[in-house]
Amino acid sequence: MADELRGRTVAILATDGVERVELEAPRGALYGAGARTELLSIHDGEIAARQMDLDPAGTFSVDRQVGEASVDDYDALLLPGGTMNPDQLRTDRDAVDFVRSFVESGKPVASICHGPWTLAEADCVRGRRLTSWPSIRTDLRNAGAEVVDEEVCVDGQFTTSRGPQDMAAFCGAVVEQFARTPAASA
């Protein structure tokens, strides 16, 4: 079971304020399943992670700025949360355009906690069934989503989860969903 994602490259889109566990745990599960990941951000260098939105939690090195990335280079997309991270992404034209293009490609997208905010900004949740952190559920409903309170929700190409408390279920579902799509970037 360690090679389900061999040959696949996953884009992880995040910026400063990302919730550390929401980037680190899924990325570890992806690596464990044989995937390669690239961290995309709205700036180069490093992004500052947080723990529980409040405490500094180290940094992650950025592989590429999102404005220089092509959807064609990736097989799947991961959008971690943290309150500040997606709040900044949803105000960045390159990030929103990348997410919209990714969804339009039909490739799988996984998002946890506040991560779906960027999907809503890209106008990609209308008619979709999602879950998220409770505080953004009204935003998702206002953007046309059907919002549920489940540890993991899979709707077509989307896999969403409520937050860190659901991490084990989210990571398993992400690997399973990403494995259903043939590798295109290999």
Side-chain angles (χ1 to χ4, degrees):
M1 294 272 295
D3 290 333
E4 302 99 316
L5 299 178
R6 180 173 302 279
R8 289 175 180 83
T9 302
V10 177
I12 301 173
L13 179 57
T15 194
D16 297 306
V18 67
E19 186 70 24
R20 182 174 193 90
V21 69
E22 293 175 12
L23 191 158
E24 200 167 54
R27 183 167 69 174
L30 293 167
Y31 282 150
R36 188 172 87 75
T37 66
E38 280 194 8
L39 179 58
L40 309 180
S41 191
I42 58 177
H43 63 77
D44 59 6
E46 295 183 329
I47 60 171
R50 308 297 282 178
Q51 180 175 327
M52 299 184 73
D53 279 329
L54 302 173
D55 300 319
T59 61
F60 292 101
S61 295
V62 173
D63 294 307
R64 188 183 299 187
Q65 288 188 43
V66 68
E68 300 168 358
S70 170
V71 170
D72 295 336
D73 293 337
Y74 305 99
D75 300 296
L77 173 63
L78 173 66
L79 298 169
T83 306
M84 294 179 351
N85 164 50
D87 194 46
Q88 292 180 74
L89 292 176
R90 68 189 182 141
T91 63
D92 183 271
R93 169 174 262 144
D94 290 333
V96 173
D97 288 348
F98 182 83
V99 168
R100 183 181 304 109
S101 294
F102 212 96
V103 171
E104 289 171 353
S105 78
K107 297 176 187 180
V109 177
S111 189
I112 187 167
C113 197
H114 289 76
W117 251 349
T118 311
L119 292 168
E121 186 66 33
D123 195 23
C124 296
V125 300
R126 192 169 317 283
R128 304 308 285 268
R129 190 171 183 265
L130 307 170
T131 193
S132 70
W133 190 255
S135 66
I136 71 163
R137 291 181 184 162
T138 297
D139 296 335
L140 295 175
R141 280 187 204 96
N142 288 342
E146 175 191 347
V147 179
V148 297
D149 184 10
E150 299 172 2
E151 67 179 358
V152 175
C153 177
V154 177
D155 180 22
Q157 76 191 98
F158 290 132
T159 302
T160 54
S161 196
R162 297 177 296 197
Q165 73 277 13
D166 301 320
M167 192 59 67
F170 178 67
C171 289
V174 167
V175 169
E176 181 180 326
Q177 293 303 312
F178 287 6
R180 290 180 186 201
T181 302
S185 65

